[in-house]
């Protein structure tokens, strides 16, 4: 059993196959964190230090024990206002205006299986795969209780965290902070990696030493954002892909979040992760409870590679749901970069016919098929077909696409409304704005108030009637702006601080309804590319358009950062035209293909514009993806280089039985008279002989992993790397 309790010492040990987590309720009922790391097989209480640090006060019951301070001890769920001056996980304002919480242990419960969270996405697992530990806490001076939930998936070395805060008192309290995870680590965690960026350049991995004080990765944009991702890694200086201790933490949430790391006065590290407390104020009336989103953590003693494998498998098998979670994904053609808004049925059918001939499975009709939408200034919200562009409507178009042997998919941006739209003219009150203030426009559009049930019902009806009106197999769910002007006519004034979270809950409710009612439709998430690329969205959409940057070279950096937490199958990635529309860069077609194949693969250009030999190349690429797709999506993924610092990008997929390996990548820059690049493979069977398809040569796994392989000399920049190894039996 993964959870072991010593009732007498009130010690809780959570064991996974390769990690151990310990917490303990001490003599004062304070819930203390003892350990998260390699398996140790004994209580780590002996490591607790009790330094008498000036200006770190003592709880009253400690009497004259000046060395017992909440400000120095590793704690399990830190509270604001009672003498722990580090970042806190929870704070509440009581009816008398005070804002302190002093949570003490009252009990525990262990159940088989994994808990779920009402209205929020959460890791799922059955009782043979997981156990749940609940720890009960109560405030010393009020009737606020907190249940800390731990979901344990031992085989995956995964622990999930979530908290339920309940007001069992008479009067309302206001939560101003309710984190999902607080993790106090021993000394030795002195670096962190966060994933920052911007539109068209998301999730750039940045590894930094921890500075004393607080560092934060966060979003207050109402979405998880392009700018920072709700996932971070804590590690030590020595940690590499294959060696060293590291901890990954990811929030399963698509709204504003905060991940704060404090490196304290004693060089201890505290991580607090959850909903961003900025703009958060949640009223808990008598008898009400608040559930935090879920944080997912994993420990690896073998570097980042193992950590990524744990998260990839968890997301694919315990977060993504539905028909497509493990299924082969269709190779798609999207018309956006081929036509932008300028299309009609004829143009789309021409693109489709060519794509079908080359083996593409699905045509996705992007923005512009509905309402009055000839540019991005109008039409959002009017989810009915524009018959000026598509004379016969969607049904006819879908049938014609089907006759070509392809499936049909459609773009939506449900959460938005254009001021120039029938919807806005009928329901201006549905657009988020503050009375007496002009709303902030972004891409000339406003947001619908997703906290309103009538808005969600309208969207459900519009989208489901479109889905029923034609044979539609796929939806791209886009979201092209950040959120501000938080105000809802449906919320009392004292509850406006609830709106950002209620927006996310509303979005999840609508997605749950639609994905449940249309189980055969593949949903792909999107937010100007990867502005809402998070595990919350992956619960509803097994793939997300990774970035609006389709440049193969830039994509190596974006996809490198994305790969630390998110599996390859989740990464929407397309071959587009050259010169690239975002950078003007020209890269070989094959390079664009290998980069796009490190994802859920597709094309985003008019294939009619290619030469005959390029068309043949596309045909072969699609065949290759169909052959290697399972290896790419279900195999183990290895980062063989760091494209931010190295002269090449290289990555590898190895089948779960170790018998097949595919190495792909891009050599950025070819130099004259240069020695050849060498890359070392990973994850092979040391004793097996592997045959390289491209040359017919054989190598032992040990040779390839220790000595590596010399890459062929390149000619021209951005040359693709393609090496396919199969174990000889
Ligand atoms: C966003 C998406 C693009 C495309 C456009 C359409 O930017 O990321 O892929 O769908 O919207 O407006």
């Amino acid at each position: 059993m993964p959870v072991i309790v010593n009732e007498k010492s009130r010690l809780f040990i959570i064991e996974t196959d390769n990690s151990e987590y310990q917490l303990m309720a001490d003599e004062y009922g304070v819930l203390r964190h003892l350990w998260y790391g390699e398996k140790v097989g004994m209580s780590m209480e002996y490591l607790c230090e009790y330094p008498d640090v000036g200006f770190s006060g003592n709880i009253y019951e400690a009497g004259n024990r000046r060395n017992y301070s909440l400000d120095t001890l590793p704690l399990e769920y830190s509270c604001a206002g009672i003498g722990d001056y580090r970042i806190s996980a929870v704070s509440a304002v009581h009816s008398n205006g005070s804002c302190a919480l002093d949570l003490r242990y009252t009990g525990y419960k262990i159940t088989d299986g994994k808990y779920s969270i009402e209205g929020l996405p959460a890791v799922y697992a059955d009782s043979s795969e997981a156990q749940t530990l609940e720890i009960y806490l109560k405030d010393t001076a009020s009737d606020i209780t907190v249940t800390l939930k731990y979901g344990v998936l031992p085989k995956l070395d995964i622990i999930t965290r979530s908290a339920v805060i309940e007001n069992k008192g008479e009067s309302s309290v206001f939560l101003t902070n309710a984190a999902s995870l607080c993790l106090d680590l021993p000394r030795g965690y002195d670096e962190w990696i966060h994933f920052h960026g911007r539109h068209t350049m998301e999730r750039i991995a940045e590894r930094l030493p921890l500075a004393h004080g607080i560092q934060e990765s966060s979003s207050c944009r109402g979405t998880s954002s392009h700018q920072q991702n709700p996932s971070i890694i804590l590690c030590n200086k020595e940690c590499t892909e294959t060696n060293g201790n590291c901890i990954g933490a990811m929030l399963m949430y698509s709204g504003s979040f905060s991940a704060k790391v404090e490196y304290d006065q004693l060089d201890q590290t505290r991580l607090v992760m959850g909903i961003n407390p900025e703009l958060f104020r949640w009223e808990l009336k008598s008898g009400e409870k608040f559930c935090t989103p879920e944080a997912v953590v994993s420990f690896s003693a073998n570097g980042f590679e193992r950590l990524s494998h744990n998260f990839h498998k968890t997301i694919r098998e315990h977060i993504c749901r539905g028909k497509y979670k493990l299924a082969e994904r269709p190779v798609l053609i999207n018309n956006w970069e081929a036509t932008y808004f300028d299309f009609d049925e004829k143009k789309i059918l021409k693109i489709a016919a060519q794509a079908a001939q080359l083996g593409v499975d699905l045509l996705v009709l992007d923005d512009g098929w509905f309402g009055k939408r000839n540019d991005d200034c109008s039409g959002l919200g009017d989810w009915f077909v524009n018959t000026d562009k598509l004379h016969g409507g969607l049904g006819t178009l879908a049938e014609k696409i089907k006759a070509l042997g392809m499936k049909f998919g459609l773009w939506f941006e449900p959460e938005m409304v254009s001021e120039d739209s029938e919807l806005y003219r009928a329901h201006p009150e549905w657009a988020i704005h503050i009375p007496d203030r002009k709303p902030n426009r972004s891409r000339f559009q406003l947001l619908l108030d997703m906290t309103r049930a009538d808005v969600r019902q309208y969207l459900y009806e519009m989208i489901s009637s479109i889905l029923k009106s034609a044979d539609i197999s796929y939806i791209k769910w886009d979201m092209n702006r950040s959120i501000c002007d938080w105000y809802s006519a449906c919320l009392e004034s004292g509850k406006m601080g609830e709106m950002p979270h209620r927006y996310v809950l509303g979005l999840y409710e609508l997605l749950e309804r639609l994905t449940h009612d249309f189980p055969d439709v593949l949903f792909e998430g999107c937010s100007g590319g990867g502005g809402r690329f998070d595990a919350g969205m992956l619960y509803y959409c097994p793939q997300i358009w990774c970035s609006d940057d389709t440049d193969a070279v830039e994509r190596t950096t974006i996809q490198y950062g994305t790969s630390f937490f998110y599996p390859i199958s989740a990464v929407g990635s397309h071959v587009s035209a050259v010169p690239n529309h975002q950078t003007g860069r020209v890269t070989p077609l094959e390079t664009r293909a290998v980069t796009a194949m490190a994802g859920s693969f597709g094309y985003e250009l008019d294939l009619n514009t290619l030469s005959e030999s390029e068309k043949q190349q596309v045909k072969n690429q699609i065949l290759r993806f169909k052959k290697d797709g399972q290896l790419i999506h279900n195999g183990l993924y290895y980062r063989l280089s760091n494209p931010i610092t190295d002269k090449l990008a290289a990555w590898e997929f190895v089948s779960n039985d170790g018998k097949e390996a595919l190495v792909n990548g891009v050599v950025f820059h070819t130099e004259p008279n240069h020695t050849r690049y060498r890359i070392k493979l990973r994850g092979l069977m040391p004793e097996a002989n592997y045959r390289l398809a491209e040359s017919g040569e054989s190598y032992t796994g040990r040779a390839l992993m220790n000595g590596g392989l010399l890459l062929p000399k390149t000619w021209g920049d951005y040359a693709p790397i393609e090496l396919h190894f199969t174990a000889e039996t």
Side-chain angles (χ1 to χ4, degrees), residues 16-84:
T16 70
D17 282 9
N18 303 290
S19 73
E20 189 165 327
Y21 188 110
Q22 295 184 7
L23 53 147
M24 179 192 81
D26 73 9
E27 63 270 42
Y28 306 115
V30 171
L31 194 63
R32 307 246 301 265
H33 181 81
L34 297 185
W35 181 251
Y36 188 30
E38 284 212 63
K39 285 190 151 173
V40 283
M42 65 174 287
S43 165
M44 295 305 268
E45 194 190 347
Y46 77 91
L47 272 186
C48 291
E49 293 179 76
Y50 295 91
D52 177 4
V53 175
F55 290 83
S56 289
N58 321 105
I59 59 171
Y60 209 81
E61 307 94 295
N64 54 14
R65 257 184 94 183
R66 288 188 182 207
N67 61 1
Y68 185 99
S69 177
L70 298 180
D71 196 29
T72 59
L73 287 167
L75 302 175
E76 197 55 21
Y77 198 63
S78 57
C79 304
I82 52 156
D84 176 1

Side-chain angles (χ1 to χ4, degrees), residues 404-569:
L404 293 168
M406 279 201 293
K407 292 183 169 174
F408 179 59
L410 215 48
W411 180 96
F412 283 91
E413 197 180 356
E415 298 150 70
M416 299 295 156
V417 63
S418 307
E419 285 159 278
D420 184 3
S421 68
E422 288 184 26
L423 179 65
Y424 186 78
R425 283 185 279 277
H427 286 291
E429 78 284 6
W430 283 4
I432 294 180
H433 69 286
I434 303 173
D436 306 327
R437 284 182 201 274
K438 294 285 177 219
N440 179 277
R441 282 185 186 135
S442 186
R443 210 189 184 202
F444 225 71
Q445 62 201 50
L446 304 181
L447 286 129
L448 289 175
D449 181 353
M450 295 295 288
T451 71
R452 294 176 67 128
D454 49 2
V455 167
R456 297 196 298 271
Q457 182 60 21
Y458 166 82
L459 291 173
Y460 176 81
E461 280 167 16
M462 292 304 276
I463 297 169
S464 53
S465 76
I466 292 276
L467 288 176
K468 284 178 197 154
S469 75
D471 199 348
I472 294 167
S473 310
Y474 162 107
I475 284 187
K476 178 171 169 188
W477 186 291
D478 211 340
M479 199 285 184
N480 282 320
R481 60 161 294 176
S482 305
I483 315 176
C484 59
D485 299 312
W486 291 108
Y487 177 88
S488 172
C490 290
L491 287 174
E492 294 159 31
S493 58
K495 287 180 150 288
M496 226 46 83
E498 300 180 12
M499 195 179 169
H501 182 54
R502 287 192 185 278
Y503 181 100
V504 181
L505 292 177
L507 167 70
Y508 287 156
E509 189 205 85
L510 180 59
L511 280 166
E512 182 67 38
R513 223 175 139 191
L514 286 164
T515 50
H516 175 268
D517 290 357
F518 297 94
D520 292 331
V521 174
L522 168 61
F523 282 72
E524 174 156 353
C526 181
S527 174
R532 201 161 56 182
F533 203 114
D534 56 67
M537 286 309 284
L538 288 169
Y539 190 67
Y540 306 96
C541 314
Q543 61 191 58
I544 299 177
W545 180 227
C546 181
S547 177
D548 271 349
D549 187 350
T550 55
D551 177 310
V553 172
E554 304 303 324
R555 270 291 182 123
T556 62
T557 296
I558 296 168
Q559 292 176 190
Y560 169 81
T562 305
S563 78
F564 278 86
F565 283 85
Y566 304 105
I568 302 310
S569 55

Side-chain angles (χ1 to χ4, degrees), residues 679-681 684 690 699-709 725:
I679 45 175
K680 292 185 189 176
L681 276 68
L684 304 178
Y690 289 88
Y699 309 86
T700 63
R702 209 179 282 287
L704 290 170
M705 292 194 290
N706 290 290
L709 194 84
F725 298 88

Side-chain angles (χ1 to χ4, degrees), residues 39-141:
K39 285 190 151 173
V40 283
M42 65 174 287
S43 165
M44 295 305 268
E45 194 190 347
Y46 77 91
L47 272 186
C48 291
E49 293 179 76
Y50 295 91
D52 177 4
V53 175
F55 290 83
S56 289
N58 321 105
I59 59 171
Y60 209 81
E61 307 94 295
N64 54 14
R65 257 184 94 183
R66 288 188 182 207
N67 61 1
Y68 185 99
S69 177
L70 298 180
D71 196 29
T72 59
L73 287 167
L75 302 175
E76 197 55 21
Y77 198 63
S78 57
C79 304
I82 52 156
D84 176 1
Y85 300 97
R86 295 168 291 178
I87 37 180
S88 54
V90 59
S91 56
V93 183
H94 300 273
S95 55
N96 67 1
S98 67
C99 48
L101 268 182
D102 190 354
L103 297 171
R104 304 291 174 100
Y105 175 81
T106 58
Y108 77 95
K109 190 165 106 185
I110 297 169
T111 43
D112 284 340
K114 163 71 179 52
Y115 65 88
S116 53
I117 311 173
E118 209 189 315
L120 282 166
V123 165
Y124 59 88
D126 66 31
S127 50
S128 67
E129 298 167 315
Q131 224 175 31
T132 293
L133 166 68
E134 290 185 350
I135 300 277
Y136 305 122
L137 305 168
K138 185 184 170 303
D139 183 26
T140 48

Side-chain angles (χ1 to χ4, degrees), residues 568-587:
I568 302 310
S569 55
V571 175
S573 198
H574 302 165
V575 173
S576 62
V578 287
N580 177 267
H581 292 195
Q582 291 77 41
T583 60
R585 185 175 284 125
V586 176
T587 51

